[in-house]
Amino acid sequence: MYRRVGVWLFGARGSVATTTVAGAAALAHGAPPAGVVTETPAFAGAGLVPIDRLVFGGHDPAETPLSKQVERLVAGGVLPPGLDGLIAAELAETERNLVVLPVADTQDGVVRRMAEDIRAFRLRNDLEQVVAINVASTEPPHEVEYADLDALKEALKTAQVLPASSLAALAAFEAGAAYIDFTPSTSIRPQVVRDWAVERQVPYGGQDAKTGETLVKSVLAPMFTARALPVQAWSGTNLLGGGDGATLADPQAAASKSVSKERVLTELLDGEVPGEVHIDYVDPLGDWKTAWDHVMFSGFLGVRMTLQFTWQGCDSALAAPLVLDLARLSALALERGHVGAMPFLGFYFKDPVESAEHALTRQYDELLRWVQEC
């Protein structure tokens, strides 16, 4: 029998987490694995844990039952009709592994209690490894003042020095879990947080999964560079509904997202390109998002030309297969004894940790090289 691997989700009752759990169960019932890159032939024989051997758990401040969340997503067209009845047993199993975010007098106490929850999840389900993935709402940017690991540990005992996403990362490290940040939140951005992972001998990766507009940019921008076509301006407008859209309606939270989205073009086009990325909340869109981009570029002898594209997609359905991929790949990294950053996972992110590569095809090649290492 193949090993069982735990997937601990921070934001476990949100749309992305719920779609991931429901999707994994649907795959076990024979649904096609569209969007799951690790199910393609290139990854066969790599020793990845089968999806039906993933066990889900997680933290969330809310207590809405997963079954109700699935019903809502079915009603909204995110999940197929009838799926809620088909996977009722799997949802009930995951429900038993979900806990409310703990409260403690100090941030040090919060980290310890969250880590205890993850350890208990591992023991209760007889798991060989655990991968923790942050799919919670995007936070506003947060400056972390501490660069020294010992100083940070002392500060956590008395002061509020880290945002929730960074506390989640530390809890995962303390529990011996790999950690992935699916969001653009502060999380593992501070070097001192990464140092904690290295001290605990675990891997980490992220940040800000690319599922839509930026995914297209990471393919199109290298085309302009390769064909020596100067880009004069690149502007984009993003329309989002649902919880993610509501969160990003806050200008501070949107600032975290905009930084990672804009970095792709800066890196791929060798410098700043005029134009802005706008993020607008449109509540009736629900879980769907629309992105419209306008690109101005120069052709031979300076002839001005334009390219425009529209991307429309279901955010949770685009994200869930990536979560499954990242869980399987991070479990492989744990099995191989990898410690520290996982830049080879950059294929999945707008702002890949410790990597300056943003071209999708080159990122894919890098991922495949790592996976196929003996």
Side-chain angles (χ1 to χ4, degrees):
M1 184 68 71
Y2 207 92
R3 71 192 190 279
R4 281 156 55 93
V5 169
V7 183
W8 190 261
L9 301 169
F10 296 104
R13 298 185 187 277
S15 294
V16 171
T18 303
T19 305
T20 299
V21 172
L27 293 180
H29 285 278
V36 185
V37 177
T38 52
E39 282 292 284
T40 60
F43 293 82
L48 297 171
V49 58
I51 292 174
D52 63 4
R53 301 295 288 172
L54 297 176
V55 180
F56 295 92
H59 282 116
D60 200 290
E63 297 185 62
T64 306
L66 274 182
S67 58
K68 292 297 183 184
Q69 292 287 56
V70 169
E71 287 177 10
R72 178 181 64 80
L73 292 171
V74 169
V78 178
L79 295 173
L83 182 63
D84 45 344
L86 181 66
I87 63 171
E90 290 91 339
L91 293 177
E93 179 186 354
T94 299
E95 189 69 50
R96 289 190 288 270
N97 292 323
L98 302 187
V99 295
V100 177
L101 279 170
V103 177
D105 292 336
T106 65
Q107 289 197 321
D108 173 69
V110 171
V111 170
R112 283 188 283 105
R113 291 187 61 181
M114 292 172 75
E116 288 168 5
D117 288 338
I118 298 172
R119 292 192 197 98
F121 166 66
R122 181 174 184 171
L123 291 172
R124 184 171 62 251
N125 293 281
D126 191 24
L127 305 171
E128 186 166 327
Q129 299 152 331
V130 176
V131 174
I133 304 179
N134 180 28
V135 289
S137 298
T138 297
E139 297 172 338
H142 185 102
E143 291 294 327
V144 175
E145 299 177 2
Y146 296 87
D148 178 80
L149 194 52
D150 290 334
L152 175 64
K153 289 181 178 180
E154 285 302 311
L156 288 171
K157 297 176 182 178
T158 58
Q160 304 291 307
V161 296
L162 291 178
S165 60
S166 295
L167 297 179
L170 298 185
F173 302 152
E174 283 297 296
Y179 178 82
I180 294 291
D181 199 294
F182 208 75
T183 80
S185 298
T186 300
S187 186
I188 50 175
R189 292 187 187 279
Q191 183 60 50
V192 69
V193 175
R194 302 182 190 192
D195 292 343
W196 198 309
V198 174
E199 180 185 80
R200 302 301 295 172
Q201 295 289 285
V202 290
Y204 60 84
Q207 286 184 272
D208 199 6
K210 56 182 176 187
T211 59
E213 179 197 30
T214 309
L215 177 65
V216 180
K217 286 180 176 179
S218 68
V219 175
L220 289 179
M223 174 193 73
F224 288 108
T225 302
R227 294 298 291 267
L229 296 171
V231 174
Q232 308 299 329
W234 196 315
S235 300
T237 295
N238 293 255
L239 307 178
L240 303 175
D244 194 32
T247 298
L248 295 175
D250 176 355
Q252 288 187 306
S256 295
K257 176 73 73 173
S258 296
V259 168
S260 61
K261 289 174 75 69
E262 291 171 0
R263 184 183 167 197
V264 174
L265 291 183
T266 300
E267 297 284 352
L268 289 176
L269 298 177
D270 299 322
E272 297 287 340
V273 176
E276 295 183 355
V277 176
H278 296 276
I279 302 175
D280 297 325
Y281 175 47
V282 183
D283 183 58
L285 282 175
D287 205 57
W288 267 253
K289 61 183 181 182
T290 297
W292 173 78
D293 276 45
H294 184 276
V295 186
M296 294 179 60
F297 64 99
S298 297
F300 189 51
L301 303 180
V303 176
R304 289 296 183 95
M305 308 183 198
T306 62
L307 176 146
Q308 298 180 40
F309 69 83
T310 302
W311 173 279
Q312 294 177 306
C314 175
D315 203 35
S316 299
L318 289 165
L322 276 63
V323 176
L324 295 176
D325 278 344
L326 289 163
R328 302 176 80 192
L329 293 164
S330 299
L332 182 62
L334 275 171
E335 187 175 328
R336 291 180 175 181
H338 186 91
V339 174
M342 295 187 283
F344 44 82
L345 298 182
F347 174 70
Y348 295 96
F349 298 105
K350 300 182 183 76
D351 195 8
V353 168
E354 297 187 25
S355 173
E357 181 58 73
H358 289 271
L360 190 70
T361 54
R362 293 197 291 269
Q363 289 176 323
Y364 177 79
D365 290 342
E366 182 181 1
L367 173 63
L368 209 54
R369 281 194 297 271
W370 176 79
V371 167
Q372 295 173 349
E373 286 177 358
C374 297

